[in-house]
mmCIF file with all atom_site columns, all heavy atoms in Angstrom:
data_model
loop_
_atom_site.group_PDB
_atom_site.id
_atom_site.type_symbol
_atom_site.label_atom_id
_atom_site.label_alt_id
_atom_site.label_comp_id
_atom_site.label_asym_id
_atom_site.label_entity_id
_atom_site.label_seq_id
_atom_site.pdbx_PDB_ins_code
_atom_site.Cartn_x
_atom_site.Cartn_y
_atom_site.Cartn_z
_atom_site.occupancy
_atom_site.B_iso_or_equiv
_atom_site.pdbx_formal_charge
_atom_site.auth_seq_id
_atom_site.auth_comp_id
_atom_site.auth_asym_id
_atom_site.auth_atom_id
_atom_site.pdbx_PDB_model_num
ATOM 1   N N   . GLU A 1 21 ? -48.522 8.308  -4.621 1.00 0.00 ? 21 GLU A N   1
ATOM 2   C CA  . GLU A 1 21 ? -49.611 8.032  -3.676 1.00 0.00 ? 21 GLU A CA  1
ATOM 3   C C   . GLU A 1 21 ? -49.145 7.519  -2.319 1.00 0.00 ? 21 GLU A C   1
ATOM 4   O O   . GLU A 1 21 ? -49.762 7.817  -1.304 1.00 0.00 ? 21 GLU A O   1
ATOM 5   C CB  . GLU A 1 21 ? -50.589 7.015  -4.286 1.00 0.00 ? 21 GLU A CB  1
ATOM 6   C CG  . GLU A 1 21 ? -51.282 7.571  -5.541 1.00 0.00 ? 21 GLU A CG  1
ATOM 7   C CD  . GLU A 1 21 ? -52.114 6.503  -6.240 1.00 0.00 ? 21 GLU A CD  1
ATOM 8   O OE1 . GLU A 1 21 ? -52.775 5.728  -5.536 1.00 0.00 ? 21 GLU A OE1 1
ATOM 9   O OE2 . GLU A 1 21 ? -52.062 6.454  -7.492 1.00 0.00 ? 21 GLU A OE2 1
ATOM 10  N N   . LEU A 1 22 ? -48.088 6.718  -2.308 1.00 0.00 ? 22 LEU A N   1
ATOM 11  C CA  . LEU A 1 22 ? -47.686 6.129  -1.020 1.00 0.00 ? 22 LEU A CA  1
ATOM 12  C C   . LEU A 1 22 ? -46.666 6.979  -0.270 1.00 0.00 ? 22 LEU A C   1
ATOM 13  O O   . LEU A 1 22 ? -46.800 7.217  0.924  1.00 0.00 ? 22 LEU A O   1
ATOM 14  C CB  . LEU A 1 22 ? -47.130 4.720  -1.225 1.00 0.00 ? 22 LEU A CB  1
ATOM 15  C CG  . LEU A 1 22 ? -48.129 3.674  -1.722 1.00 0.00 ? 22 LEU A CG  1
ATOM 16  C CD1 . LEU A 1 22 ? -47.498 2.293  -1.685 1.00 0.00 ? 22 LEU A CD1 1
ATOM 17  C CD2 . LEU A 1 22 ? -49.398 3.677  -0.872 1.00 0.00 ? 22 LEU A CD2 1
ATOM 18  N N   . LEU A 1 23 ? -45.650 7.440  -0.990 1.00 0.00 ? 23 LEU A N   1
ATOM 19  C CA  . LEU A 1 23 ? -44.564 8.152  -0.313 1.00 0.00 ? 23 LEU A CA  1
ATOM 20  C C   . LEU A 1 23 ? -45.057 9.344  0.510  1.00 0.00 ? 23 LEU A C   1
ATOM 21  O O   . LEU A 1 23 ? -44.648 9.504  1.670  1.00 0.00 ? 23 LEU A O   1
ATOM 22  C CB  . LEU A 1 23 ? -43.500 8.568  -1.331 1.00 0.00 ? 23 LEU A CB  1
ATOM 23  C CG  . LEU A 1 23 ? -42.094 8.744  -0.777 1.00 0.00 ? 23 LEU A CG  1
ATOM 24  C CD1 . LEU A 1 23 ? -41.567 7.441  -0.179 1.00 0.00 ? 23 LEU A CD1 1
ATOM 25  C CD2 . LEU A 1 23 ? -41.141 9.219  -1.858 1.00 0.00 ? 23 LEU A CD2 1
ATOM 26  N N   . PRO A 1 24 ? -45.952 10.192 -0.043 1.00 0.00 ? 24 PRO A N   1
ATOM 27  C CA  . PRO A 1 24 ? -46.415 11.337 0.761  1.00 0.00 ? 24 PRO A CA  1
ATOM 28  C C   . PRO A 1 24 ? -47.172 10.915 2.018  1.00 0.00 ? 24 PRO A C   1
ATOM 29  O O   . PRO A 1 24 ? -47.239 11.677 2.974  1.00 0.00 ? 24 PRO A O   1
ATOM 30  C CB  . PRO A 1 24 ? -47.358 12.091 -0.190 1.00 0.00 ? 24 PRO A CB  1
ATOM 31  C CG  . PRO A 1 24 ? -47.033 11.589 -1.562 1.00 0.00 ? 24 PRO A CG  1
ATOM 32  C CD  . PRO A 1 24 ? -46.548 10.185 -1.397 1.00 0.00 ? 24 PRO A CD  1
ATOM 33  N N   . ALA A 1 25 ? -47.717 9.687  2.004  1.00 0.00 ? 25 ALA A N   1
ATOM 34  C CA  . ALA A 1 25 ? -48.506 9.249  3.162  1.00 0.00 ? 25 ALA A CA  1
ATOM 35  C C   . ALA A 1 25 ? -47.659 8.518  4.198  1.00 0.00 ? 25 ALA A C   1
ATOM 36  O O   . ALA A 1 25 ? -48.143 8.179  5.275  1.00 0.00 ? 25 ALA A O   1
ATOM 37  C CB  . ALA A 1 25 ? -49.636 8.328  2.678  1.00 0.00 ? 25 ALA A CB  1
ATOM 38  N N   . LEU A 1 26 ? -46.383 8.280  3.890  1.00 0.00 ? 26 LEU A N   1
ATOM 39  C CA  . LEU A 1 26 ? -45.541 7.532  4.824  1.00 0.00 ? 26 LEU A CA  1
ATOM 40  C C   . LEU A 1 26 ? -45.094 8.415  5.987  1.00 0.00 ? 26 LEU A C   1
ATOM 41  O O   . LEU A 1 26 ? -44.817 9.591  5.804  1.00 0.00 ? 26 LEU A O   1
ATOM 42  C CB  . LEU A 1 26 ? -44.278 7.017  4.113  1.00 0.00 ? 26 LEU A CB  1
ATOM 43  C CG  . LEU A 1 26 ? -44.434 5.834  3.160  1.00 0.00 ? 26 LEU A CG  1
ATOM 44  C CD1 . LEU A 1 26 ? -43.080 5.488  2.554  1.00 0.00 ? 26 LEU A CD1 1
ATOM 45  C CD2 . LEU A 1 26 ? -45.015 4.627  3.872  1.00 0.00 ? 26 LEU A CD2 1
ATOM 46  N N   . PRO A 1 27 ? -45.004 7.828  7.196  1.00 0.00 ? 27 PRO A N   1
ATOM 47  C CA  . PRO A 1 27 ? -44.432 8.603  8.304  1.00 0.00 ? 27 PRO A CA  1
ATOM 48  C C   . PRO A 1 27 ? -42.958 8.908  8.004  1.00 0.00 ? 27 PRO A C   1
ATOM 49  O O   . PRO A 1 27 ? -42.306 8.184  7.249  1.00 0.00 ? 27 PRO A O   1
ATOM 50  C CB  . PRO A 1 27 ? -44.567 7.672  9.509  1.00 0.00 ? 27 PRO A CB  1
ATOM 51  C CG  . PRO A 1 27 ? -44.798 6.311  8.952  1.00 0.00 ? 27 PRO A CG  1
ATOM 52  C CD  . PRO A 1 27 ? -45.393 6.475  7.589  1.00 0.00 ? 27 PRO A CD  1
ATOM 53  N N   . LYS A 1 28 ? -42.463 9.967  8.602  1.00 0.00 ? 28 LYS A N   1
ATOM 54  C CA  . LYS A 1 28 ? -41.125 10.472 8.298  1.00 0.00 ? 28 LYS A CA  1
ATOM 55  C C   . LYS A 1 28 ? -40.052 9.382  8.405  1.00 0.00 ? 28 LYS A C   1
ATOM 56  O O   . LYS A 1 28 ? -39.154 9.299  7.570  1.00 0.00 ? 28 LYS A O   1
ATOM 57  C CB  . LYS A 1 28 ? -40.825 11.627 9.266  1.00 0.00 ? 28 LYS A CB  1
ATOM 58  C CG  . LYS A 1 28 ? -39.687 12.522 8.842  1.00 0.00 ? 28 LYS A CG  1
ATOM 59  C CD  . LYS A 1 28 ? -39.645 13.789 9.706  1.00 0.00 ? 28 LYS A CD  1
ATOM 60  C CE  . LYS A 1 28 ? -38.236 14.325 9.796  1.00 0.00 ? 28 LYS A CE  1
ATOM 61  N NZ  . LYS A 1 28 ? -37.582 14.114 11.102 1.00 0.00 ? 28 LYS A NZ  1
ATOM 62  N N   . GLU A 1 29 ? -40.164 8.534  9.430  1.00 0.00 ? 29 GLU A N   1
ATOM 63  C CA  . GLU A 1 29 ? -39.103 7.537  9.653  1.00 0.00 ? 29 GLU A CA  1
ATOM 64  C C   . GLU A 1 29 ? -39.150 6.391  8.637  1.00 0.00 ? 29 GLU A C   1
ATOM 65  O O   . GLU A 1 29 ? -38.256 5.558  8.605  1.00 0.00 ? 29 GLU A O   1
ATOM 66  C CB  . GLU A 1 29 ? -39.137 7.025  11.098 1.00 0.00 ? 29 GLU A CB  1
ATOM 67  C CG  . GLU A 1 29 ? -40.362 6.221  11.484 1.00 0.00 ? 29 GLU A CG  1
ATOM 68  C CD  . GLU A 1 29 ? -41.509 7.102  11.960 1.00 0.00 ? 29 GLU A CD  1
ATOM 69  O OE1 . GLU A 1 29 ? -41.487 8.335  11.712 1.00 0.00 ? 29 GLU A OE1 1
ATOM 70  O OE2 . GLU A 1 29 ? -42.450 6.549  12.575 1.00 0.00 ? 29 GLU A OE2 1
ATOM 71  N N   . ARG A 1 30 ? -40.193 6.346  7.823  1.00 0.00 ? 30 ARG A N   1
ATOM 72  C CA  . ARG A 1 30 ? -40.270 5.311  6.790  1.00 0.00 ? 30 ARG A CA  1
ATOM 73  C C   . ARG A 1 30 ? -39.924 5.860  5.398  1.00 0.00 ? 30 ARG A C   1
ATOM 74  O O   . ARG A 1 30 ? -39.893 5.120  4.416  1.00 0.00 ? 30 ARG A O   1
ATOM 75  C CB  . ARG A 1 30 ? -41.682 4.705  6.748  1.00 0.00 ? 30 ARG A CB  1
ATOM 76  C CG  . ARG A 1 30 ? -42.031 3.903  7.966  1.00 0.00 ? 30 ARG A CG  1
ATOM 77  C CD  . ARG A 1 30 ? -41.437 2.506  7.874  1.00 0.00 ? 30 ARG A CD  1
ATOM 78  N NE  . ARG A 1 30 ? -41.614 1.766  9.109  1.00 0.00 ? 30 ARG A NE  1
ATOM 79  C CZ  . ARG A 1 30 ? -40.742 1.745  10.104 1.00 0.00 ? 30 ARG A CZ  1
ATOM 80  N NH1 . ARG A 1 30 ? -39.607 2.419  10.015 1.00 0.00 ? 30 ARG A NH1 1
ATOM 81  N NH2 . ARG A 1 30 ? -40.970 1.050  11.190 1.00 0.00 ? 30 ARG A NH2 1
ATOM 82  N N   . ARG A 1 31 ? -39.711 7.163  5.321  1.00 0.00 ? 31 ARG A N   1
ATOM 83  C CA  . ARG A 1 31 ? -39.499 7.805  4.040  1.00 0.00 ? 31 ARG A CA  1
ATOM 84  C C   . ARG A 1 31 ? -38.243 7.271  3.328  1.00 0.00 ? 31 ARG A C   1
ATOM 85  O O   . ARG A 1 31 ? -38.247 7.028  2.122  1.00 0.00 ? 31 ARG A O   1
ATOM 86  C CB  . ARG A 1 31 ? -39.377 9.320  4.255  1.00 0.00 ? 31 ARG A CB  1
ATOM 87  C CG  . ARG A 1 31 ? -39.430 10.107 2.982  1.00 0.00 ? 31 ARG A CG  1
ATOM 88  C CD  . ARG A 1 31 ? -39.380 11.614 3.228  1.00 0.00 ? 31 ARG A CD  1
ATOM 89  N NE  . ARG A 1 31 ? -38.863 12.259 2.034  1.00 0.00 ? 31 ARG A NE  1
ATOM 90  C CZ  . ARG A 1 31 ? -39.564 12.422 0.934  1.00 0.00 ? 31 ARG A CZ  1
ATOM 91  N NH1 . ARG A 1 31 ? -40.822 12.046 0.884  1.00 0.00 ? 31 ARG A NH1 1
ATOM 92  N NH2 . ARG A 1 31 ? -39.029 12.973 -0.135 1.00 0.00 ? 31 ARG A NH2 1
ATOM 93  N N   . TYR A 1 32 ? -37.200 7.043  4.106  1.00 0.00 ? 32 TYR A N   1
ATOM 94  C CA  . TYR A 1 32 ? -35.938 6.558  3.531  1.00 0.00 ? 32 TYR A CA  1
ATOM 95  C C   . TYR A 1 32 ? -36.147 5.194  2.864  1.00 0.00 ? 32 TYR A C   1
ATOM 96  O O   . TYR A 1 32 ? -35.676 4.960  1.747  1.00 0.00 ? 32 TYR A O   1
ATOM 97  C CB  . TYR A 1 32 ? -34.876 6.482  4.633  1.00 0.00 ? 32 TYR A CB  1
ATOM 98  C CG  . TYR A 1 32 ? -33.515 6.037  4.152  1.00 0.00 ? 32 TYR A CG  1
ATOM 99  C CD1 . TYR A 1 32 ? -32.855 6.734  3.144  1.00 0.00 ? 32 TYR A CD1 1
ATOM 100 C CD2 . TYR A 1 32 ? -32.906 4.916  4.703  1.00 0.00 ? 32 TYR A CD2 1
ATOM 101 C CE1 . TYR A 1 32 ? -31.607 6.325  2.706  1.00 0.00 ? 32 TYR A CE1 1
ATOM 102 C CE2 . TYR A 1 32 ? -31.660 4.501  4.263  1.00 0.00 ? 32 TYR A CE2 1
ATOM 103 C CZ  . TYR A 1 32 ? -31.011 5.212  3.264  1.00 0.00 ? 32 TYR A CZ  1
ATOM 104 O OH  . TYR A 1 32 ? -29.785 4.792  2.839  1.00 0.00 ? 32 TYR A OH  1
#
Side-chain angles (χ1 to χ4, degrees):
Chain A
E21 296 173 41
L22 294 188
L23 206 61
L26 286 179
K28 197 169 152 253
E29 66 273 16
R30 292 279 173 269
R31 192 177 156 75
Y32 182 57

